[in-house]
Amino acid sequence: MTSYVTPPAARVAPPRMFGPEFAARPQDVYQVLRAAGPVAWAEIAEGVRALVVTGHRAAIDLLTDTATYSKDSRLWQDLAAGRVPQDSPVLALMAYRPSLLYADGDRHARLRQAMDDCLARVSQPELHDLTRAHALRLIAGFAQQGHAELMGQYADMLPLLVFTDLLGCPPELTGRMVVACQGMINAGPGAGQAAAGLAQALSEIIAMKNRSPGRDCTSWMLAHPARLSHEEILHQLVVLVGAGTIPTAAWIASGLRLLLSDDDYAGDLTGGAITVRRALEQVLWVRSPMANFSVHYARADTTLHGVPVPAGVPILISHAATGADPALPPDLGYDNRSHLAWSAGPHRCPADSQAAIIAQSAIETLLDRLWDVQLADAEVVNRPGPFHQCPARLAVHFRPQPAHAFAAPTAPTGGTRDEPTDDPRHHRRSPV
């Protein structure tokens, strides 16, 4: 393998994809990167540089070229040479672990098959009902107040509560997992400690299910014919929780923000599930929850769409920027699912259908129960960090609701809302 030498283009300070300025206006950074070509240098954390792909076609070519590009971060030459700070927050998501996220070829296929088989056993109607039940309990916690901060009180909590149930997690571990997941994705100073905390909690769940299996993903993973080791199962579950909860929380929050603020939706939610689904698809194009990820490494020096790519350099796909690539057909439309929010190729997200059920059920339940909810702040800023695109806060207000209005759901299972009626909850006012 050739030794990595910083190219001249990278010696000029590249745009920063972290910090408050990036969180406030990420599109400005994407424009600078795009002006440099479909692949360009960026600083993703203090002292950590990477190539970022903003071109849609270039991203697909990279994601599907397994002969040229690897997911194995042990190829990261700067990290191997000690040039990445040991406390760098990006290591929580980029340092090597023995999971499918960092595997190639036959090993990835084996781990991915185990993940796919376990997820396939999750009943979609039951997942909808489980999400709705947790949603109602969360809403009941703030409904009488007439106001809420939906990021921390709802969107952050709901996917994690659902996934902890899917894993067979006991209630006493749920709080620890919430803190750990947030610490990892925010890419702050405590990201490494947060990753260790999540691994410890999951290790305790695995030990518990080894003694007493149940009807849950952890038990199914333990019993899978692939015969995964304890370490492999642990890191499989880290991926499942991390990829299944934090991006879904961002998707829920951005979907609610769009529905409550965009003139194309506000005041016209009588379409129920159809309207919510359309908004969620639009979010995947314009506010991809995982903004920049799908890290790869060239196995040898190469070029991507004419841009030199040195071996052993992290290459991130900007799922956010590729959705706004000017080279895409202008009349593509948001219903077209050629966006890269789920990535592409062999490492495409394995839990997209589960995430969609959780996100849609979460939004429908909240809008049905708090029918006059409105945004309290016109400006919504993003959380910091290079990897995700998520509101930092989502303050809302609404007419206070009595606690008895949030009894456990008794409606039949299914993924759609009731048809519109003359109930005033189905005729929303535009937000102030």
Side-chain angles (χ1 to χ4, degrees), residues 66 126 209:
T66 58
E126 288 181 15
K209 293 301 173 180

Side-chain angles (χ1 to χ4, degrees), residues 352-396:
D352 55 341
S353 61
Q354 289 81 8
I357 291 170
I358 295 169
Q360 184 171 333
S361 301
I363 293 177
E364 290 171 8
T365 303
L366 186 129
L367 294 180
D368 183 60
R369 293 297 176 143
L370 304 179
W371 54 270
D372 62 344
V373 63
Q374 297 180 13
L375 290 177
D377 299 323
E379 295 294 326
V380 178
V381 299
N382 287 331
R383 286 175 172 165
F387 301 124
H388 67 304
Q389 189 167 209
C390 179
R393 289 175 48 82
L394 198 66
V396 297

Side-chain angles (χ1 to χ4, degrees), residues 267-293:
D268 185 27
L269 289 178
T270 57
I274 295 174
T275 301
V276 171
R277 280 197 300 270
R278 188 168 65 244
L280 285 172
E281 288 299 323
Q282 181 172 341
V283 167
L284 294 178
W285 276 104
V286 301
R287 288 186 60 84
S288 176
M290 287 305 291
N292 307 285
F293 202 53

Side-chain angles (χ1 to χ4, degrees), residues 8-304:
R11 296 191 189 113
V12 178
R16 287 189 160 199
M17 291 176 55
F18 64 97
E21 292 184 10
F22 176 68
R25 296 192 59 81
Q27 64 274 16
D28 291 353
V29 175
Y30 300 145
Q31 288 178 4
V32 172
L33 292 171
R34 189 176 287 114
V39 188
W41 288 94
E43 189 174 12
I44 61 174
E46 196 69 49
V48 181
R49 295 186 177 188
L51 286 167
V52 180
V53 182
T54 59
H56 188 274
R57 183 69 255 173
I60 292 176
D61 289 346
L62 183 151
L63 292 167
T64 55
D65 186 356
T66 58
T68 304
Y69 301 99
S70 169
K71 289 285 290 177
D72 191 338
S73 60
R74 290 173 296 187
L75 298 176
W76 186 359
Q77 291 194 24
D78 271 1
L79 182 61
R83 291 189 288 264
V84 176
Q86 292 184 359
D87 60 350
S88 177
V90 298
L91 293 180
L93 293 183
M94 290 177 63
Y96 176 80
R97 290 179 177 82
S99 76
L100 77 169
L101 189 61
Y102 307 91
D104 299 312
D106 291 343
R107 185 166 185 276
H108 172 261
R110 171 175 166 268
L111 295 172
R112 177 61 183 254
Q113 189 63 58
M115 180 74 80
D116 289 346
D117 290 347
C118 291
L119 289 172
R121 297 183 66 171
V122 176
S123 162
Q124 294 195 359
E126 288 181 15
L127 181 58
H128 169 268
D129 288 350
L130 177 64
T131 303
R132 180 170 169 78
H134 279 303
L136 288 171
R137 282 191 284 271
L138 289 173
I139 296 168
F142 54 75
Q144 297 180 73
Q145 300 171 8
H147 60 86
E149 196 284 284
L150 291 181
M151 198 66 244
Q153 293 181 270
Y154 191 68
D156 276 339
M157 292 295 299
L158 183 53
L160 189 52
L161 291 172
V162 172
F163 269 85
T164 52
D165 276 359
L166 295 180
L167 296 181
C169 174
E172 59 267 23
L173 289 181
T174 300
R176 286 164 54 188
M177 292 177 66
V178 170
V179 173
C181 286
Q182 284 302 316
M184 286 178 65
I185 199 69
N186 283 340
Q193 184 177 354
L198 177 61
Q200 177 59 38
L202 291 172
S203 186
E204 293 176 29
I205 296 172
I206 293 170
M208 185 186 313
K209 293 301 173 180
N210 215 2
R211 296 189 301 267
S212 180
R215 187 171 171 266
D216 52 70
C217 286
T218 307
S219 300
W220 297 335
M221 199 80 73
L222 282 162
H224 194 272
R227 301 179 64 85
L228 273 60
S229 68
H230 177 104
E231 184 183 44
E232 286 176 326
I233 293 174
L234 170 62
H235 291 289
Q236 291 279 90
L237 297 184
V238 168
V239 171
L240 183 59
V241 172
T245 59
I246 303 301
T248 307
W251 198 14
I252 292 168
S254 293
L256 283 167
R257 177 188 179 189
L258 181 64
L259 286 161
L260 297 176
S261 63
D262 193 295
D263 290 340
D264 289 340
Y265 298 100
D268 185 27
L269 289 178
T270 57
I274 295 174
T275 301
V276 171
R277 280 197 300 270
R278 188 168 65 244
L280 285 172
E281 288 299 323
Q282 181 172 341
V283 167
L284 294 178
W285 276 104
V286 301
R287 288 186 60 84
S288 176
M290 287 305 291
N292 307 285
F293 202 53
S294 298
V295 188
H296 285 71
Y297 304 84
R299 302 175 191 272
D301 291 352
T302 186
T303 59
L304 180 62

